[in-house]
Amino acid sequence: MGKLLIVGSVAFDAIETPFGKTGKILGGAAPFIGLAASQFKTKSAIVSVVGDDFPQAYLDLLTDRNIDISGIEVVKGGKTFFWQGKYHNDLNSRDTLVTELNTLGDFTPVVPSDFKNADVVMLGNLHPNTQMSVINQMEERPKLIILDTMNFWMDNTWDELMEVIKKIDVITINDEEARQMTKEYSLVKAAAKIQEMGPKYVVIKKGEHGALLFHKENIFFAPALPLEEVFDPTGAGDTFAGGFSGYLAETGNISFENMKNAIIHGSNLASFCVEKFGTERMLELQKHEVEARLMQFRDLTQFNIELT
Ligand code: AMP
């Protein structure tokens, strides 16, 4: 059983979709990553920060799933990061209405001593200096370092982002961000350019159109499962990252072949995440449901062609 260290926001989210609206609910990249990773046999921990307005019941939801939260700092008198978003009718695009960094604004991560030798480190979407600080605290080079980022950091902290991505193995990024990062329209060319920047593996997420994995001249594609109901896409990217990193931490095999399986596990779990608001679906998810849907994925992509 490998150890997985997760760094990312822990938040209050308020979400509006064409189907309804929530008040402040549990959100942030780290809970989505952690809940997805808890489907695998790994020992995982979250490094993050919240204010003392954050309910103990939300922290208990994480510890109930064996996620170590000793690295979540609770700032006395502080307020938890708050994000509010509204989705358009097609659910593919959203507007961020509010981002209140609060305690996340001057967050200094502290890696718990028991996780300084983690096998896999999953750096969620945060300031690149925060991501770098976590890498620097590791006792030895982890087997695999995965980093997620977004256009906000490319716009505002390009130099710091370039420094941290030199030190990682896998980057997960969406298609628009890959194009922005490289000024290439072709995702094949974009992935090749990103590999020159540092990460040997590039995962490009295309939302409801699946995900691509690039490594040297190898390419693998996983579709997203066509779903009847998509309710709230919030956290799908983080859930994908949690499934990807959790599976690799469990198996300890970081070959390209095994990463293909990791992509499928990530896509599979993300397909559940979007079925209800926030973390709701991930919190009730059962193993048999996960396994049944994995078989659907297999059937979706399997065919027999014989060349004559
Ligand atoms: P995703 O839908 O995968 O892009 O992730 C959504 C989650 O990211 C939400 O739960 C938010 O709380 C969190 N989030 C939004 N903006 C930021 C930000 N600037 N830094 C860290 N986390 C964020």
Side-chain angles (χ1 to χ4, degrees), residues 8-13 26-29 32 81-83 87 94 96 99 101 104 125-126 148 150 152-153 205 233-239:
S9 54
V10 172
F12 286 128
D13 282 353
L26 170 64
F32 283 110
F81 173 70
F82 173 59
W83 177 78
Y87 287 85
R94 71 183 176 205
T96 290
T99 300
L101 287 178
L104 199 63
N125 169 33
L126 284 175
D148 190 34
M150 68 185 289
F152 180 81
W153 306 116
K205 299 173 285 183
T234 307
D238 303 311
T239 301

Side-chain angles (χ1 to χ4, degrees), residues 233-255:
T234 307
D238 303 311
T239 301
F240 173 89
F244 182 78
S245 54
Y247 174 75
L248 291 173
E250 175 183 304
T251 56
N253 174 349
I254 56 167
S255 65

Side-chain angles (χ1 to χ4, degrees), residues 5 42 59 89 94 109 130 142 159 179 181 195 229 253 266:
L5 178 67
T42 64
L59 294 173
N89 275 343
R94 71 183 176 205
T130 308
D159 292 344
R179 291 184 172 117
M181 198 166 188
Q195 288 179 68
E229 305 274 8
N253 174 349

Side-chain angles (χ1 to χ4, degrees), residues 11-238:
F12 286 128
D13 282 353
I15 305 162
E16 187 173 343
T17 78
F19 312 109
K21 208 174 159 170
T22 70
K24 285 187 173 182
I25 58 172
L26 170 64
F32 283 110
I33 297 170
L35 290 173
S38 72
Q39 294 289 333
F40 300 93
K41 294 187 193 75
T42 64
K43 217 175 152 218
S44 59
I46 290 178
V47 170
S48 192
V49 65
V50 291
D52 58 9
D53 56 349
F54 198 70
Q56 183 61 39
Y58 283 170
L59 294 173
D60 292 345
L61 290 174
L62 301 173
T63 42
D64 286 350
R65 281 153 188 84
N66 289 324
I67 301 168
D68 183 320
I69 59 159
S70 61
I72 303 184
E73 184 192 347
V74 181
V75 178
K76 273 218 172 92
K79 283 179 76 183
T80 301
F81 173 70
F82 173 59
W83 177 78
Q84 187 172 357
K86 182 175 176 177
Y87 287 85
H88 299 167
N89 275 343
D90 63 0
L91 285 175
N92 267 333
S93 51
R94 71 183 176 205
D95 295 325
T96 290
L97 303 180
V98 181
T99 300
E100 287 173 11
L101 287 178
N102 299 329
T103 48
L104 199 63
D106 44 21
F107 167 48
T108 308
V110 179
V111 177
S113 52
D114 195 27
F115 277 83
K116 285 190 174 168
N117 62 356
D119 304 277
V120 176
V121 175
M122 179 66 232
L123 301 168
N125 169 33
L126 284 175
H127 194 299
N129 287 350
T130 308
Q131 297 174 318
M132 184 69 106
S133 161
V134 169
I135 295 176
N136 289 338
Q137 290 175 53
M138 302 307 286
E139 266 162 15
E140 53 200 78
R141 175 66 167 78
K143 225 177 196 175
L144 196 71
I145 305 178
I146 307 161
L147 175 143
D148 190 34
T149 191
M150 68 185 289
N151 50 3
F152 180 81
W153 306 116
M154 290 176 210
D155 294 338
N156 297 301
T157 57
W158 177 262
D159 292 344
E160 293 92 331
L161 181 62
M162 286 304 110
E163 280 310 305
V164 72
I165 75 165
K166 281 184 200 155
K167 301 205 173 262
I168 62 157
D169 304 297
V170 185
I171 187 168
T172 66
I173 190 169
N174 76 29
D175 43 359
E176 278 320 303
E177 291 157 355
R179 291 184 172 117
Q180 178 179 344
M181 198 166 188
T182 58
K183 314 259 179 308
E184 291 286 356
Y185 183 80
S186 152
L187 294 179
V188 176
K189 286 184 183 167
K193 271 199 179 172
I194 295 172
Q195 288 179 68
E196 285 168 16
M197 296 172 183
K200 297 178 284 295
Y201 299 87
V202 178
V203 176
I204 299 184
K205 299 173 285 183
K206 290 158 61 69
E208 65 173 329
H209 303 297
L212 289 154
L213 168 67
F214 296 88
H215 173 58
K216 296 183 182 161
E217 66 286 353
N218 303 307
I219 306 178
F220 177 69
F221 172 69
L225 201 69
L227 294 171
E228 270 178 48
E229 305 274 8
V230 177
F231 199 75
D232 168 23
T234 307
D238 303 311

